[in-house]
Amino acid sequence: MRKNGLIALSFHTLVILFVLAPLVIIVLVAFTPEQTLTLPTRGLSLRWFRAILDYPDFISAFLNSIKLAFSSATLSLALALPAALAIGRERFPGREFLNGLFLSPLVIPSLVLGIAFLRFFAMIGATGSFTWLVAAHMIIITPFVMRLVLASVSGMDRSIEHAAQSLGADRWTSFRRITLPMILPGITGGWLLAFINSFDELTMSIFVTSPQTITLPVRMYMYATESIDPMMASVSALVIFVTAGAMILLDRVYGLNRILIGSH
């Protein structure tokens, strides 16, 4: 394999630094003891992390985001798993159309989806409903679950499954003991990726949340328009830590390279 030259390595390093620099700055500012967003600071302090506990709106928004992300990711998995099994293992009329239908939210901008959901919810009288908010998030995160589970289903060796059936195992036993463990990394990775995307979703959520269902990204956006104190940076740092932890877990479970390049 040909090694990258000095120019290529330097370019890649600069790109990585350019991408990571804003995140690093946010984390550093989150530990400032100052009253405003300043860098460098006189030292490190947990002052603004403690201040989050005195702002109940952030706590309730965080709980809303966790509940919303867990519910929508779980329901998306329940929908995408049987669809991926059917598309990846069977040949039937409309198979490609069904696959494209499940992946279609990826090509629709979140802004367009947000306006469409807002209009639809207003028409059916569902504005402010947490249940319909979960349904909206399901639509935008199901493609992530579908893609990973379908990759696992398409790449599995079905000869082991056939061997189990030839030895007397029924279809349910074969699925539970053979198929499910083989595609479990894709299922787990898809759920985690869907959870992360639902938890971090902002653009669409702005249009469909209500005062009772405001998520953490929406609350952060609203707070940022009203104040410039470092508590915004401390909340952002916590979101970065949670997202980074979830991505590390996703890499350990499934492998980020398999997600990014789509390999089986």
Side-chain angles (χ1 to χ4, degrees), residues 76 79-80 87 96-114 116-117 134-147 194 197 201 203-204:
S76 294
L79 177 65
I87 294 172
E96 295 300 328
F97 171 78
L98 185 62
N99 184 37
L101 180 64
F102 274 95
L103 298 180
S104 59
L106 291 176
V107 301
I108 304 176
S110 297
L111 178 62
V112 175
L113 284 174
F117 283 136
V134 171
H137 274 240
M138 276 184 59
I139 292 176
I140 64 173
I141 66 176
T142 294
F144 299 101
V145 186
M146 183 71 179
R147 188 171 184 267
N197 278 273
E201 169 59 35
T203 306
M204 185 272 292

Side-chain angles (χ1 to χ4, degrees), residues 57-67 199 214-216 242:
D57 287 344
F58 274 124
I59 304 299
S60 62
F62 173 78
L63 295 177
N64 283 339
S65 290
I66 291 292
K67 183 168 63 172
F199 185 86
I214 290 180
T215 61
L216 183 59
V242 171

Side-chain angles (χ1 to χ4, degrees), residues 83 86-88 90-96 98:
I87 294 172
E90 307 295 338
R91 297 293 182 268
F92 54 88
R95 175 175 173 269
E96 295 300 328
L98 185 62

Side-chain angles (χ1 to χ4, degrees), residues 178-207:
I178 303 298
T179 307
L180 188 60
M182 293 180 68
I183 65 175
L184 188 59
I187 292 175
T188 307
W191 187 91
L192 284 173
L193 191 60
F195 182 92
I196 294 171
N197 278 273
S198 177
F199 185 86
D200 291 342
E201 169 59 35
L202 170 63
T203 306
M204 185 272 292
S205 297
I206 289 178
F207 292 92

Side-chain angles (χ1 to χ4, degrees), residues 32-103:
T32 182
E34 308 291 344
Q35 291 283 352
T36 58
L37 295 168
T38 57
L39 191 71
T41 66
R42 294 176 299 175
L44 299 178
S45 172
L46 296 176
R47 169 188 178 183
W48 294 107
F49 288 95
R50 291 191 294 266
I52 298 174
L53 300 177
D54 299 325
Y55 198 85
D57 287 344
F58 274 124
I59 304 299
S60 62
F62 173 78
L63 295 177
N64 283 339
S65 290
I66 291 292
K67 183 168 63 172
L68 174 63
F70 181 86
S71 301
S72 57
T74 302
L75 293 174
S76 294
L77 177 60
L79 177 65
L81 178 57
L85 289 171
I87 294 172
R89 295 155 60 99
E90 307 295 338
R91 297 293 182 268
F92 54 88
R95 175 175 173 269
E96 295 300 328
F97 171 78
L98 185 62
N99 184 37
L101 180 64
F102 274 95
L103 298 180

